[in-house]
Amino acid sequence: MTTEQDRGEARCNQVLDAAATCFRQRGFHGASMAELARAAGMSVGHIYHYFENKEAIIAAIVERDVAEILALLDSLHDEEDILQALIREAGNEMEESPCSDEALQVEILAEASRNPKVAVTVHEGDRRARTRLAETIASGRARRGLPPLADLEARTEIIIALFEGLMLRRIRHPKAVDDATIAVLRSTLHTLLET
Amino acid sequence: MTTEQDRGEARCNQVLDAAATCFRQRGFHGASMAELARAAGMSVGHIYHYFENKEAIIAAIVERDVAEILALLDSLHDEEDILQALIREAGNEMEESPCSDEALQVEILAEASRNPKVAVTVHEGDRRARTRLAETIASGRARRGLPPLADLEARTEIIIALFEGLMLRRIRHPKAVDDATIAVLRSTLHTLLET
DNA sequence: CATTCTAGATTGAACATTCATTCTATTGCG
DNA sequence: CGCAATAGAATGAATGTTCAATCTAGAATG
């Protein structure tokens, strides 16, 4: 039973991995099921053995994305100095090569703006993410012996906005990365996190 | 001749206004030409009298968007205190009702991430926008008697990231608007613009 | 003035293509 | 052998675009 479940799950992931690639390149509605099938190394008809329809695949991709973001936030708890790790990571994120996930992220947001089911997942995922980030920041400050913030949620919101804006910058201005910009970013985060 | 040009332009704008509405609701590739025609009050075939194909309509919408952003930046020059106007406007933007243009903005970015022609327009528009914003900030500081910034471009980049992130927040967390968040936003912008 | 003509504007059905999904036949495995 | 996994052609619907037919408005004519 476990082996069969594993195999089923592996096949689902095979589809989803392929779907993520196709969706990233072509968008949710530009990528056809035929393309997904090719990329997954599976027949078109067989995809429907694992997913009810294309919309179910889209929903699964969105949920996966939410889970990844939450896992990333979780990993911050392992850092000795959480605040420094956040600041460091922001700069590192900015230096990432542009072939990462902003295309898929933007597609998810575009879909959320017009598909109520996706919007629900995105909103719930966001609620959990910002709660977790707020806790993480509070925890990091406590470790540093800094006083609790009265405006913790507000600062969290602005920090998230900044991170999300940086992602968009990678589409609009892919060459934005330089030392000065990273320095301003880190200084801004320092103000938001450590003062 | 002028009247005919005007009529042609009016008809083009009729199509583009309708297209913007349909694209906002359904996305570039979810909205059909039949829907655009209905919304424009024009026959499907006649749209092709004004635009070569659907892609030309998409391109025109993107260019329109770029022009609007640049016009908005231009209007800042009329302010007595440019820096304060920027800070004030940021808070006002945040308070906007969520039925504004983030859906179309995100769709444009999604398209730019996978359509090279749109990407060129978006990149060029961004280059002009950030140049103009940097000049505006420099001008605002000069009016205040503040010293020029060595890291002007870097600060501009982070400010743009923040504005763009706020737009995404309207999709992910539509209820984010409260006084505390606006206060943090304005404080952050104060640091970036006025110190 | 009424009628006719002409050219441009306009329509929407037709067309060819593509799509998401279904379903029958085949394959693989225990 | 029987059942589950799998393939891919078939299906019906939807799409972007074309094009022949029709409409409209203004000029020309008697």
Side-chain angles (χ1 to χ4, degrees), chain B residues 146-167:
Chain B
L146 297 171
L149 292 167
D151 59 354
L152 176 62
E153 271 82 24
R155 290 196 193 195
T156 303
E157 189 67 29
I158 299 298
I159 289 163
I160 294 178
L162 195 46
F163 273 92
E164 302 204 327
L166 290 171
M167 176 191 69

Side-chain angles (χ1 to χ4, degrees), chain A residues 60-127:
Chain A
I61 289 280
V62 174
E63 273 156 20
R64 231 184 187 204
D65 182 68
V66 167
E68 277 166 21
I69 289 169
L70 294 175
L72 184 66
L73 287 174
D74 275 351
S75 67
L76 284 175
H77 277 282
D78 301 332
E79 301 280 348
E80 270 199 33
D81 189 330
I82 292 171
L83 303 185
Q84 265 305 299
L86 259 178
I87 294 173
R88 192 184 64 232
E89 276 308 305
N92 294 348
E93 269 290 304
M94 226 184 148
E95 278 173 327
E96 288 267 303
S97 69
C99 41
S100 60
D101 244 3
E102 63 273 356
L104 190 54
Q105 287 283 319
V106 169
E107 189 68 16
I108 287 169
L109 285 166
E111 188 72 18
S113 71
R114 63 174 102 92
N115 175 336
K117 283 189 192 173
V118 170
V120 166
T121 306
V122 164
H123 291 165
E124 178 58 21
D126 188 76
R127 189 191 63 75

Side-chain angles (χ1 to χ4, degrees), chain A residues 29 107 110-111 113-115, chain B residues 18-33 35-36 38 54 103-104 107:
Chain A
H29 301 290
E107 189 68 16
E111 188 72 18
S113 71
R114 63 174 102 92
N115 175 336
Chain B
T21 299
C22 295
F23 289 155
R24 195 174 285 125
Q25 288 171 357
R26 312 265 281 126
F28 286 141
H29 301 291
S32 66
M33 294 301 285
E35 282 172 82
L36 261 66
R38 258 189 314 269
K54 188 172 182 179
L104 190 55
E107 189 68 16

Side-chain angles (χ1 to χ4, degrees), chain A residues 125-137:
Chain A
D126 188 76
R127 189 191 63 75
R128 290 165 68 193
R130 63 182 188 268
T131 302
R132 199 160 300 186
L133 182 59
E135 287 165 0
T136 298
I137 291 169

Side-chain angles (χ1 to χ4, degrees), chain B residues 122-136:
Chain B
V122 165
H123 291 166
E124 176 59 22
D126 189 76
R127 188 191 62 77
R128 291 165 67 193
R130 64 183 188 270
T131 301
R132 200 160 300 185
L133 182 59
E135 288 165 359
T136 298

Side-chain angles (χ1 to χ4, degrees), chain A residues 6-181:
Chain A
D6 285 350
R7 177 158 171 80
E9 200 170 315
R11 294 291 265 174
C12 282
N13 282 329
Q14 192 173 330
V15 175
L16 291 179
D17 290 344
T21 299
C22 295
F23 288 155
R24 198 173 283 123
Q25 289 172 359
R26 313 264 281 125
F28 284 142
H29 301 290
S32 67
M33 294 301 286
E35 284 172 78
L36 260 66
R38 256 190 315 272
M42 194 186 289
S43 73
V44 180
H46 199 49
I47 292 188
Y48 293 88
H49 181 76
Y50 298 105
F51 295 93
E52 190 185 347
N53 49 35
K54 189 175 183 179
E55 188 157 335
I57 298 176
I58 290 170
I61 289 280
V62 174
E63 273 156 20
R64 231 184 187 204
D65 182 68
V66 167
E68 277 166 21
I69 289 169
L70 294 175
L72 184 66
L73 287 174
D74 275 351
S75 67
L76 284 175
H77 277 282
D78 301 332
E79 301 280 348
E80 270 199 33
D81 189 330
I82 292 171
L83 303 185
Q84 265 305 299
L86 259 178
I87 294 173
R88 192 184 64 232
E89 276 308 305
N92 294 348
E93 269 290 304
M94 226 184 148
E95 278 173 327
E96 288 267 303
S97 69
C99 41
S100 60
D101 244 3
E102 63 273 356
L104 190 54
Q105 287 283 319
V106 169
E107 189 68 16
I108 287 169
L109 285 166
E111 188 72 18
S113 71
R114 63 174 102 92
N115 175 336
K117 283 189 192 173
V118 170
V120 166
T121 306
V122 164
H123 291 165
E124 178 58 21
D126 188 76
R127 189 191 63 75
R128 290 165 68 193
R130 63 182 188 268
T131 302
R132 199 160 300 186
L133 182 59
E135 287 165 0
T136 298
I137 291 169
S139 172
R141 289 181 65 95
R143 282 192 210 178
R144 282 268 200 91
L146 297 172
L149 292 167
D151 59 355
L152 176 62
E153 269 84 24
R155 290 197 191 194
T156 303
E157 188 67 27
I158 299 298
I159 289 162
I160 294 178
L162 195 46
F163 273 92
E164 301 204 328
L166 290 172
M167 176 191 70
L168 287 197
R169 296 311 293 156
R170 291 212 285 274
I171 295 179
R172 277 220 166 99
H173 184 204
K175 299 257 174 71
V177 183
D178 62 31
D179 290 345
T181 306

